[in-house]
Amino acid sequence: MRAPVFVTLCVWVLSDATARQFSEEEMAAVRQRIKSMFYHAYNSYLDHAFPYDELRPLTCDGQDTWGSFSLTLIDALDTLLVLGNHTEFQRVASLLQDTVDFDIDVNASVFETNIRVVGGLLSAHLLSGRAKMDLEPGWPCSGPLLRMAEDAARKLLPAFQTPTGMPYGTVNLLKGVSPTETTVTCTAGVGTFILEFSTLSRLTGDETFENVARQALRALWRTRSDIGLVGNHIDILSQKWVAQDAGIGAGVDSYFEYLVKGAILLQDEELLDMFTEYDRAIQNYTRFDDWYLWVQMHKGTVSMPVFQSLEAFWPGLQSLLGNLDSAVRTFQNYYSVWRQFGGLPEFYSIPQGYTVDKREGYPLRPELIESAMYLFRATGDHTYLQLGLDALESIEKITKTPCGYASVKDLRDHQLDNRMESFFLAETIKYLYLLFDPAHFLHGGGAEGAGSWEEGGDGGRCVLGAGGFIFNTEAHPLDPAALYCCGRHARDRQELRDVLLGLSEPGGQSKPGRPEDPPPGQSESIALKPGERKTNPSLSCPVQPFSARLAVLGQVFTDDA
């Protein structure tokens, strides 16, 4: 066993015995404070920054940052629904349809546009029924917000047109990829598309999106080192690693997150197997005393003994896999840093127990709160509620301004920066609210969650919103049931098309080029031959619950047909 290369930091130990217990009334009071925080930030954006991407909370004005499409409004839309504001959700959803145009001459981050814009629109589309919006027939397989998400994602597709399938980091929404665009991008910029793009493909029936996301994942998988690690930045054409630091933080984080969440959302063993092999190498080479360091991807030697604030998502991800003991201990370490500064600095030196030069800021990131939400759901330990209350009070005390909340430039003296990123409304406040609302419908329980499912799909044959929501890396919830619903209807339509085409041929024969032999258990043709009499098939009890799909001349097509 290798000896640690740093001094072990004493941490404050979480304990059920010492954790403060929050009553239902106290939790409700905290939720009201969180709502007030949201509306102070949200209304300040509307009053001072819309239609710009972001609010500048020190000068009370706005700026475009990631693409000039009212980013904060798109990112915050599903948070309105999470907080129960159906009226404003409806108003903003209509406003976005009238004002946002992706056919613009703007260079946009492929990664950020996907997680914030495509993810935000998909989530809002899937929550439209719960928001009491007028729905198109066939929803969730159609709808205006879904078309907006598809339009935005289609603008990103030129970035994936590379020999390796790995995407460029930036694309012009009007002109495509610039000939001078750099070929170097971060690992997360290659591997953070499978949730949004698969959702798009399953809802719309266009497999292009899921295919390019999978191709990128598989290309990245093939570049891992002999010891099973990936670096931080890669040349997408040569497939050479430009930055060979391996870790779980900035530039890599959401790649691992999407392997796990993609496996859950899509019930995909390939993605889970990828993560499992990565996790084995991560635990072997980067984990020291429940901290995760940065190491050289080929040798496993420590290159940076630092904790990055973006790594704080890891305990929550571990909890999804059932690795609670490890998740709790790592969370303890991260929480100790928060208590030291009132926030998580971007970089924290583990040997020195202090911030790293020029990385002392806290831009209102959500990751530690996100992990607290998952761990509270998994353990019921009210210590995670205490972290939530600490975070709420720190943000209120340190970052609140007359028109919003400002990023912290330096946690040592609490200097502020003139920026409020859209993820503050999309993630930080949402996770904070959900932490204190265990009965929320997104958790699938309680008064609002129990029995609050919705009907959807053709003829209302799908059960939606019953639970199991998966959050993308921008905290936009996706409903797995919707993916199954629309995918099933796509198969229905194909079956119907095949049947009708078969009936349209003389004698009920299939079109040329189709297999001559029918699938096992299925008659050669549903049309009767001359002189033939229809006989009823023998009945049997199906192993799976039976669902009559389509009947022609008495023959029933089921899932297995």
Side-chain angles (χ1 to χ4, degrees):
M1 176 177 174
R2 291 168 295 161
V5 295
F6 51 84
V7 178
T8 302
L9 179 70
C10 293
V11 300
W12 180 76
V13 178
L14 305 181
S15 170
D16 288 333
T18 60
R20 169 189 170 185
Q21 298 299 300
F22 287 75
S23 66
E24 291 290 338
E25 292 76 16
E26 289 174 320
M27 293 171 68
V30 174
R31 289 199 298 271
Q32 288 303 314
R33 291 180 61 184
I34 297 167
K35 281 186 176 182
S36 297
M37 172 184 284
F38 173 83
Y39 286 112
H40 177 62
Y42 177 77
N43 291 331
S44 294
Y45 167 77
L46 291 179
D47 293 341
H48 303 291
F50 178 78
Y52 291 102
D53 281 342
E54 292 179 1
L55 170 71
R56 298 204 303 171
L58 300 184
T59 53
C60 297
D61 55 13
Q63 64 179 345
D64 282 332
T65 52
W66 294 112
S68 188
F69 24 63
S70 304
L71 183 61
T72 293
L73 209 55
I74 295 175
D75 232 0
L77 181 54
D78 58 13
T79 307
L80 288 166
L81 192 280
V82 169
L83 300 183
N85 193 336
H86 296 181
T87 303
E88 182 67 0
F89 180 99
Q90 296 170 10
R91 185 189 76 83
V92 173
S94 298
L95 178 65
L96 291 174
Q97 295 171 46
D98 294 336
T99 60
V100 173
D101 181 11
F102 299 115
D103 195 24
I104 52 178
D105 187 6
V106 167
N107 293 323
S109 164
V110 180
F111 171 85
E112 298 290 352
T113 303
N114 176 57
I115 67 170
R116 302 193 197 208
V117 177
V118 178
L121 291 170
L122 284 173
S123 174
H125 163 71
L126 294 174
L127 294 173
S128 295
R130 193 174 293 273
K132 305 296 189 294
M133 292 190 67
D134 293 332
L135 303 176
E136 291 184 359
W139 175 88
C141 312
S142 65
L145 294 177
L146 175 60
R147 288 190 288 274
M148 287 183 68
E150 183 180 4
D151 185 24
R154 207 166 289 283
K155 294 290 185 180
L156 306 180
L157 288 180
F160 290 83
Q161 295 173 2
T162 64
T164 64
M166 297 185 190
Y168 285 95
T170 302
V171 66
N172 185 284
L173 299 183
L174 188 64
K175 303 174 182 176
V177 178
S178 169
T180 60
E181 175 63 26
T182 178
T183 60
V184 176
T185 191
C186 68
T187 307
V190 175
T192 309
F193 295 92
I194 194 66
L195 293 185
E196 298 84 3
F197 277 28
S198 290
T199 298
L200 260 181
S201 286
R202 305 293 176 96
L203 296 183
T204 66
D206 186 344
E207 297 178 354
T208 302
F209 302 104
E210 183 170 347
N211 288 343
V212 298
R214 286 189 181 276
Q215 185 178 3
L217 282 176
R218 288 166 179 159
L220 196 56
W221 170 251
R222 290 191 294 268
T223 66
R224 66 195 187 282
S225 70
D226 291 340
I227 62 174
L229 297 172
V230 289
N232 193 272
H233 280 74
I234 192 170
D235 187 307
I236 62 170
L237 298 186
S238 69
Q239 302 184 77
K240 302 296 184 183
W241 287 100
V242 176
Q244 299 187 1
D245 297 302
I248 61 171
V252 185
D253 48 356
S254 54
Y255 171 43
F256 297 137
E257 177 186 2
Y258 272 40
L259 290 178
V260 173
K261 291 183 176 179
I264 299 171
L265 180 71
L266 306 173
Q267 295 295 286
D268 192 302
E269 290 186 13
E270 178 188 13
L271 301 182
L272 185 59
D273 288 343
M274 286 181 180
F275 178 81
T276 300
E277 187 163 333
Y278 277 132
D279 191 43
R280 190 177 299 114
I282 289 168
Q283 300 300 326
N284 189 35
Y285 291 102
T286 76
R287 181 180 173 185
F288 293 88
D289 287 354
D290 300 307
W291 295 94
Y292 291 84
L293 311 184
W294 289 84
V295 302
Q296 211 283 337
M297 65 175 289
H298 296 288
K299 302 176 182 178
T301 54
V302 174
S303 58
M304 291 190 296
V306 299
F307 156 63
Q308 298 180 357
S309 61
L310 285 170
E311 298 172 16
F313 83 101
W314 189 257
L317 192 70
Q318 290 286 299
S319 76
L320 289 178
L321 296 164
N323 301 329
L324 281 180
D325 290 343
S326 173
V328 167
R329 291 194 299 270
T330 298
F331 186 92
Q332 293 172 9
N333 287 344
Y334 298 169
Y335 189 11
S336 72
V337 178
W338 181 287
R339 291 165 61 87
Q340 185 177 352
F341 295 100
L344 290 185
E346 293 288 71
F347 281 32
Y348 178 85
S349 171
I350 299 170
Q352 297 176 359
Y354 207 63
T355 60
V356 175
D357 187 40
K358 299 186 180 1
R359 294 292 188 274
E360 304 93 348
Y362 170 60
L364 303 175
R365 292 199 187 278
E367 283 76 17
L368 191 64
I369 300 168
E370 173 188 0
S371 283
M373 182 199 74
Y374 282 116
L375 287 171
F376 179 62
R377 294 287 299 162
T379 68
D381 187 344
H382 282 222
T383 300
Y384 302 106
L385 298 180
Q386 185 61 53
L387 173 277
L389 184 59
D390 288 349
L392 174 64
E393 293 180 342
S394 294
I395 293 170
E396 284 282 359
K397 180 178 180 180
I398 298 171
T399 75
K400 189 174 183 178
T401 73
C403 56
Y405 294 85
S407 298
V408 181
K409 186 175 183 179
D410 192 331
L411 278 170
R412 297 172 300 178
D413 56 13
H414 296 167
Q415 292 183 56
L416 299 181
D417 197 9
N418 195 19
R419 188 173 186 185
M420 187 181 79
E421 289 235 33
S422 67
F423 60 64
F424 177 61
L425 296 177
E427 298 185 77
T428 307
I429 290 179
K430 184 184 294 159
Y431 282 133
L432 197 55
Y433 187 85
L434 291 173
L435 170 62
F436 283 92
D437 192 1
H440 198 276
F441 75 85
L442 286 176
H443 295 314
E448 189 176 5
S452 63
W453 54 271
E454 309 163 83
E455 292 182 351
D458 294 336
R461 292 187 298 163
C462 294
V463 175
L464 305 173
F469 289 89
I470 300 296
F471 292 92
N472 86 334
T473 198
E474 191 77 4
H476 295 306
L478 303 172
D479 185 359
L483 277 65
Y484 172 77
C485 171
C486 298
R488 191 181 75 176
H489 288 166
R491 293 192 299 272
D492 287 349
R493 289 191 292 271
Q494 184 61 47
E495 290 175 2
L496 177 59
R497 187 179 301 112
D498 291 345
V499 169
L500 295 178
L501 285 173
L503 287 174
S504 68
E505 297 298 317
Q509 296 298 316
S510 299
K511 296 183 71 174
R514 292 195 177 183
E516 292 296 324
D517 296 326
Q522 184 173 326
S523 62
E524 182 175 339
S525 172
I526 63 173
L528 298 179
K529 297 178 180 179
E532 183 182 5
R533 299 188 62 181
K534 181 166 73 77
T535 59
N536 294 325
S538 59
L539 300 179
S540 63
C541 296
V543 176
Q544 298 297 327
F546 182 77
S547 172
R549 301 288 224 45
L550 169 68
V552 179
L553 299 179
Q555 181 167 342
V556 176
F557 290 79
T558 65
D559 286 339
D560 297 325

